[in-house]
Amino acid sequence: MTETFRVEKIGMSIGDSEILSDVSLEFPAGEVVALVGHNGSGKSSLLKLLARQATPSAGSISYGGQDLRHYDDRTFARSVAYLPQDVNSGSDMTIRELVACGRYPWHGALGRFSKTDQEKVDEALRATHIERFADRFVGTLSGGERQRAWIAMLVAQDARCLLLDEPTAALDVAHQIEVLSLVRRLAHEGGRSVIIVLHDINMAARFCDRIHALKGGRVVASGAPAQVLSAKTLHDIYGIDMNVISGPDLPHPIAYVC
């Protein structure tokens, strides 16, 4: 599969409000792709459409070359995992119990938890470096540790594509870097594709292979970080004057407000 998702002329409306309009984008397989833009630009709405948590009012979405509507729920859940922005449940579960929930698409509500399921849970704990916390309750963890636990659940799901809605929201800078470093490693070393909603354009440039930018429900920029981080493009995205620092000693461009 050379691409995970492809959206073509997508539209989405709620009542009289147009949330997305004429959105066409490609999401190459094996990349970390950021969705960026101001509040209300349609980033999270687009991610919900990809996750089949909402239905477009126009256009089409395909995954792996197949129309999203043609997937049954279990088959789709075995390949695509979605982490919404507001995750308030699971505090009274141990990390191991939470991560084990990722195996649900494989054995169902009445299925038996097999040796394979247990191995997948153990692998997910190791991949996210939280095996030492396995028996702690989720509610006792720091913000960064909690996000790693939820991401571990997606890894245990054995999904090849992860959809993450602002996983660094409310985290301090150190924990943001920790979580995004994990996400990038899971993609580049684990052969997964990741689509992630981010607010911070510099974090997107540092950790993502590609950036799609939305404004008012429409695509205003798309490309590699070096292409998107220009003064003109940033003004198109955010509507304010910004400059960019780049150079041979910088691994990625850095944007700042004038």
Side-chain angles (χ1 to χ4, degrees):
M1 182 180 3
T2 59
E3 66 183 10
T4 50
F5 286 95
R6 176 191 291 267
V7 301
E8 297 183 353
K9 297 186 179 301
I10 282 295
M12 179 183 181
S13 298
I14 299 177
D16 295 331
S17 299
E18 188 176 59
I19 309 301
L20 295 167
S21 177
D22 197 30
V23 173
S24 294
L25 290 169
E26 296 181 7
F27 297 86
E31 290 190 355
V32 182
V33 181
L35 297 175
V36 304
H38 58 75
N39 289 339
S41 61
K43 307 182 300 295
S44 293
S45 295
L46 177 55
L47 200 73
K48 287 179 181 178
L49 293 179
L50 300 181
R52 303 207 315 176
Q53 300 297 305
T55 304
S57 54
S60 64
I61 305 175
S62 62
Y63 174 74
Q66 180 174 315
D67 193 297
L68 223 55
R69 296 171 296 181
H70 297 161
Y71 283 92
D72 64 79
D73 290 344
R74 178 168 287 189
T75 300
F76 186 73
R78 288 179 174 181
S79 189
V80 178
Y82 170 59
L83 184 64
Q85 182 178 347
D86 298 319
V87 182
N88 298 316
S89 59
S91 293
D92 57 349
M93 303 173 70
T94 67
I95 288 183
R96 185 177 295 279
E97 290 170 339
L98 176 67
V99 175
C101 291
R103 297 304 299 165
Y104 178 82
W106 296 91
H107 59 65
L110 302 178
R112 192 170 184 176
F113 201 78
S114 68
K115 180 180 179 182
T116 297
D117 292 322
Q118 186 58 60
E119 289 173 350
K120 292 294 183 181
V121 170
D122 290 339
E123 289 173 8
L125 291 169
R126 288 193 297 271
T128 53
H129 297 163
I130 55 170
E131 61 267 45
R132 66 185 184 280
F133 302 138
D135 296 322
R136 284 181 54 182
F137 289 101
V138 174
T140 67
L141 303 178
S142 69
E145 292 165 348
R146 191 178 300 116
Q147 286 298 78
R148 278 197 285 157
W150 282 101
I151 292 172
M153 185 187 74
L154 306 192
V155 174
Q157 193 170 325
D158 216 16
R160 307 317 301 162
C161 181
L162 310 183
L163 307 178
L164 310 176
D165 193 354
E166 295 193 47
T168 58
L171 297 182
D172 60 38
V173 173
H175 283 122
Q176 289 180 43
I177 292 174
E178 174 189 344
V179 169
L180 292 175
S181 296
L182 167 63
V183 168
R184 185 174 176 85
R185 179 169 56 80
L186 289 173
H188 290 180
E189 296 180 11
R192 298 175 180 85
S193 304
V194 178
I195 303 172
I196 182 170
V197 172
L198 292 173
H199 267 299
D200 190 324
I201 189 68
N202 286 317
M203 288 295 187
R206 177 172 178 174
F207 291 101
C208 300
D209 304 297
R210 189 178 305 268
I211 297 173
H212 295 322
L214 300 175
K215 183 177 183 180
R218 294 177 179 270
V219 179
V220 293
S222 179
Q227 295 173 302
V228 173
L229 267 72
S230 71
K232 181 184 181 304
T233 302
L234 291 170
H235 189 276
D236 291 341
I237 299 170
Y238 296 107
I240 59 175
D241 292 331
M242 301 179 72
N243 278 334
V244 177
I245 300 173
S246 60
D249 295 330
L250 293 176
H252 56 87
I254 297 175
Y256 64 95
V257 178
C258 295

